[in-house]
Amino acid sequence: MTDILPTINSPEDIKKLSLPKLNALADEIREEIIRVVNSNGGHLGSNLGTVELTLALHYCYDFSKDRLVWDVGHQCYTHKLITGRREQFETLRRMGGLSGFPNKEESDFDPFTTGHSGAAISTALGLACGESAMKGGRSVVAVVGDGAIAAGMAFEALNHAGSLGTDLLVVLNDNKMSISKSVGALSGYLTQLRSAPVYMELKKEIGHVLDLLPILGGQMKQALDHIKDAIRNSITPGRMFADLGFRYYGPIDGHRIEELIETFKDVKDLGGPTLLHVVTEKGRGHEEAQNHHHRMHAVAPEKVPARPEVQDRPGWTAMFSEHLAEIAAEDPAVATITAAMPDVTAAFQQRFPNRCFDPGICEQHAIGLAAGLATAGMKPVVALYSTFLQRAYDQVFHEICLQGLPVVIAIDRAGLVGSDGPTHHGVFDIAYLRHLPEMTLMAPKDVPEMRKMLEAAIAWRRPCAIRYPRDSAPEDSPRCSPVERGKAEILREGPDALIVAYGSMVFPAMRAADMLQEDGLDVTVMNARFAKPLDEEAILSCLEKSPVAITVEEGALAGGFGSAVLECAAGSAGTTRIRRLGVPDRFIEHGSREELLEMLGLNPAGIAAAVKQAVREEDK
Ligand SMILES: Cc1ncc(C[n+]2csc(CCOP(=O)(O)OP(=O)(O)O)c2C)c(N)n1
């Protein structure tokens, strides 16, 4: 029974509602989020936790001019529902539909297109500084979770904001959880803050009394401000934030709209950097999401039948962590690091918790930590999603490659990730790692090859990265030759064309070869295995024998694997007969992985069509 939500066409409509109606609206919004996420998939827990918080924010501010920046943005569904996107909500995360994250193309209410953690305080501070410099007069609010606030970038921004004294409200949305439980000393500190309710009442009273003290000018005002701050700090448990230059308020109950509204009204015109600590419950209103935070952080869409070739096959991620755990059972020096994505090393974590490090959403630190572990004689394997490894590019250069350290980077979700969209597609890693001296880059076609690559990478004692996609692992191929550094594998031979495929594209290339055979074309398929060092000898020799060649990669064409082949051929074989298939130079929208692969011609039919076209052009 929804009767209020259909009347909400803009946040102005929220402001007209009474408190009971706002609470009823919160219930309706929860129902709508659960309904749509059940069918389309999406971030359930975080969105159910921020319903009242979002309503109260829109009630107290005017975000058609004020600015609201969500950290990550995976909690923005209520915001979408009440900022004119209710009717499209049905299309959430579907190709051509609403994005699952804030998106500046979608709405003026979204100042940024986001999906990565830790950035909101920085970008909000920039907005606030801009407002102050341009005398714009808009308020700026950043909402950041207790997991994301521990990211380096968030800390850098807090540090800067506190020193600038710019007007900025940071809402700390504390639900005690990241994807799994929040980790780190800061998380312990927030627990202490949460457990001091009586203290907070006292603080609130004294805060009011302090605010009643007369407003004075000049030095007297400064002196009084100091005294007020000293009293506040000495009686408040938000000391750490206060020491960083923030006024700290809270913790308040993030599900009591009345209290939220009162507090926002109180803090809105305070001036200077303010941090409001709001306690919410992840998954609120949905029993399973309330009790299984990790599993229900993000949920898959209603069961769609899997492609026949991957039906009932385990995922690459699970296979990786199981094989790594097996390797670690034989070698006590092997350790893993992940950054708040516990699934990527789950099997390892279960068996060897003492050798598994999770510093939270801190990719830069994760790489630095690996450098230290490697120097101490351990064999660290850092497992990160491709898109999040981007956050640690310089650490890979400076802390690992420049030192020539034996760190293995497992690049999970390398390629098109599907409905999370452009913030999450992992398509740049080949390009941003390929030019780093000392680095070895490889990608397996199947799980047995991944196991061999992993063993080899750990044994080589040098910087290595292995990429694998967000997908079910394909059926193991009948043979898996030994993995030799910089050596490719020829899977089938034919005179009509050469397909050089990398990693996840090897199986589609083999299927394309089958299709081509039916059309009378006999092609060679090379499993490149390495993007660096490239098997130049094998590639050049095959190029000589083939009238045309197609490189296929699930990554950006600019600077990617195909570029490496072109560079290799430029010296001797010539490049005119080489075509490249991969991700073009634009951000790829959201959609299912299958839809996106098809759109980019990275499925068997697309590869076969590209080969045929190349052959036709060559024949002219
Ligand atoms: C740079 C980066 N690393 C990892 C992630 C994956 N990620 C998405 S949400 C999330 C947890 C965020 O926790 P918190 O800020 O507490 O918000 P909550 O999910 O609890 O609402 C993580 C790790 C990400 N989005 N960006």
Side-chain angles (χ1 to χ4, degrees):
M1 42 92 234
T2 73
D3 48 18
I4 307 173
L5 184 57
T7 68
I8 307 297
N9 297 312
S10 88
E12 283 308 302
D13 298 325
I14 302 285
K15 296 183 206 289
K16 298 175 201 149
L17 298 178
S18 63
L19 194 60
K21 288 231 155 132
L22 282 171
N23 280 309
L25 175 63
D27 292 342
E28 290 181 22
I29 287 176
R30 278 205 172 80
E31 268 179 38
E32 179 66 354
I33 290 175
I34 292 168
R35 186 183 71 78
V36 172
V37 171
N38 270 343
S39 93
N40 298 14
H43 288 91
L44 189 62
S46 307
N47 279 297
L48 293 178
T50 47
V51 178
E52 290 83 3
L53 174 60
T54 312
L55 292 179
L57 276 166
H58 278 281
Y59 189 92
C60 297
Y61 290 83
D62 173 5
F63 290 116
S64 66
K65 66 172 186 58
D66 295 331
R67 308 280 207 170
L68 175 59
V69 188
W70 297 98
D71 199 276
V72 187
H74 63 318
Q75 69 293 63
C76 71
Y77 293 175
T78 303
H79 169 78
K80 291 206 175 200
L81 279 167
I82 63 173
T83 51
R85 287 170 271 184
R86 176 175 45 77
E87 280 175 7
Q88 296 114 286
F89 197 62
E90 199 81 49
T91 67
L92 187 76
R93 288 166 62 91
R94 295 233 159 110
M95 199 161 181
L98 280 191
S99 155
F101 293 96
N103 188 306
K104 57 188 290 192
E105 310 296 323
E106 240 175 47
S107 167
D108 290 342
F109 284 94
D110 299 357
F112 300 102
T113 296
T114 61
H116 286 203
S117 310
I121 309 176
S122 290
T123 52
L125 179 60
L127 286 170
C129 291
E131 284 306 312
S132 155
M134 321 262 291
K135 311 251 177 298
R138 304 169 184 201
S139 299
V140 182
V141 181
V143 181
V144 57
D146 55 300
I149 202 169
M153 192 174 172
F155 258 72
E156 290 167 32
L158 284 175
N159 183 40
H160 191 202
S163 73
L164 288 180
T166 311
D167 297 351
L168 171 69
L169 175 64
V170 174
V171 176
L172 169 59
N173 170 32
D174 180 3
N175 57 21
K176 306 181 210 141
M177 297 295 295
S178 181
I179 288 182
S180 53
K181 236 180 147 16
S182 284
V183 295
L186 184 68
S187 159
Y189 177 70
L190 295 180
T191 304
Q192 275 179 35
L193 295 191
R194 279 191 304 268
S195 57
V198 179
Y199 220 32
M200 295 321 300
E201 282 308 307
L202 178 67
K203 192 211 97 173
K204 208 169 161 188
E205 288 307 307
I206 295 186
H208 282 316
V209 173
L210 289 174
D211 289 335
L212 290 175
L213 287 175
I215 296 165
L216 303 164
Q219 282 188 337
M220 272 299 278
K221 178 179 183 313
Q222 265 185 12
L224 190 58
D225 278 350
H226 273 126
I227 295 167
K228 284 182 182 183
D229 282 345
I231 297 172
R232 272 198 185 99
N233 290 344
S234 66
I235 58 151
T236 62
R239 175 89 211 200
M240 188 197 88
F241 296 109
D243 285 350
L244 281 170
F246 275 74
R247 292 172 200 256
Y248 169 90
Y249 288 90
I252 62 166
D253 184 336
H255 299 295
R256 290 185 51 203
I257 296 183
E258 188 175 11
E259 190 178 349
L260 285 164
I261 288 176
E262 258 178 42
T263 314
F264 282 130
K265 282 183 178 161
D266 281 351
V267 298
K268 198 173 164 199
D269 299 317
L270 275 180
T274 304
L275 187 134
L276 177 64
H277 187 175
V278 176
V279 178
T280 60
E281 185 186 13
K282 206 161 178 167
R284 174 100 166 180
H286 184 288
E287 205 182 325
E288 205 181 344
Q290 262 162 311
N291 296 323
H292 301 279
H293 292 129
H294 180 168
R295 177 152 53 79
M296 301 304 281
H297 173 82
V299 300
E302 258 166 13
K303 275 273 164 258
V304 260
R307 303 192 303 283
E309 67 272 22
V310 296
Q311 220 157 26
D312 302 327
R313 301 282 308 155
W316 278 100
T317 305
M319 287 289 91
F320 161 79
S321 78
E322 273 177 33
H323 283 281
L324 184 61
E326 278 176 23
I327 295 170
E330 305 289 313
D331 186 346
V334 173
T336 66
I337 303 170
T338 185
M341 307 305 289
D343 287 344
V344 294
T345 53
F348 190 105
Q349 160 76 32
Q350 234 173 17
R351 287 179 68 180
F352 309 108
N354 295 338
R355 287 192 263 153
C356 190
F357 298 88
D358 179 358
I361 311 175
C362 308
E363 290 80 7
Q364 301 184 338
H365 164 58
I367 297 289
L369 188 72
L373 287 172
T375 305
M378 294 203 77
K379 299 174 181 170
V381 178
V382 193
L384 297 173
Y385 288 6
S386 169
T387 187
F388 303 144
L389 176 62
Q390 287 164 196
R391 287 271 200 236
Y393 170 70
D394 185 59
Q395 283 70 14
V396 177
F397 151 67
H398 186 264
E399 269 64 46
I400 295 182
C401 291
L402 193 59
Q403 327 291 328
L405 283 173
V407 172
V408 177
I409 305 175
I411 311 179
D412 197 314
R413 298 199 179 186
L416 296 158
V417 298
S419 39
D420 280 336
T423 54
H424 282 59
H425 292 316
V427 293
F428 304 112
D429 57 280
I430 307 172
Y432 71 72
L433 294 176
R434 194 167 71 79
H435 52 224
L436 291 175
E438 297 294 325
M439 184 51 97
T440 295
L441 296 184
M442 50 191 146
K445 65 177 179 305
D446 60 12
V447 171
E449 194 165 88
M450 178 181 71
R451 169 68 180 250
K452 286 194 175 154
M453 285 181 174
L454 198 49
E455 282 170 343
I458 293 169
W460 285 333
R461 313 292 293 139
R462 57 193 310 152
C464 288
I466 306 175
R467 80 190 305 257
Y468 45 91
R470 180 190 196 181
D471 210 340
S472 306
E475 187 124 7
D476 301 344
S477 55
R479 69 190 169 102
C480 184
S481 54
V483 168
E484 236 183 292
R485 188 164 175 273
K487 288 283 168 228
E489 182 187 51
I490 308 279
L491 295 175
R492 62 188 278 169
E493 286 187 86
D496 296 324
L498 165 68
I499 307 178
V500 189
Y502 188 51
S504 61
M505 289 293 108
V506 173
F507 271 92
M510 285 295 279
R511 283 201 296 280
D514 291 339
M515 293 161 97
L516 288 165
Q517 194 161 42
E518 284 171 21
D519 290 343
L521 286 175
D522 231 349
V523 304
T524 296
V525 178
M526 180 187 290
N527 167 20
R529 285 188 166 174
F530 291 82
K532 184 177 183 171
L534 208 59
D535 190 343
E536 299 200 349
E537 203 185 319
I539 288 174
L540 291 177
S541 132
C542 285
L543 279 176
E544 256 176 42
K545 292 184 232 155
S546 302
V548 290
I550 307 267
T551 64
V552 198
E553 65 197 294
E554 202 182 333
L557 286 169
F561 170 76
S563 296
V565 173
L566 283 179
E567 286 162 23
C568 154
S572 46
T575 54
T576 47
R577 293 169 299 119
I578 302 173
R579 273 78 168 167
R580 294 172 303 143
L581 275 183
V583 176
D585 191 15
R586 67 175 177 85
F587 293 111
I588 305 301
E589 53 272 49
H590 60 275
S592 74
R593 193 170 139 71
E594 287 69 21
E595 285 169 327
L596 298 175
L597 287 170
E598 186 183 340
M599 179 181 86
L600 299 174
L602 292 173
N603 60 358
I607 299 170
V611 171
K612 278 198 228 165
Q613 189 180 338
V615 170
R616 266 199 309 275
E617 283 170 7
E618 211 51 43
D619 285 346
K620 271 185 196 158

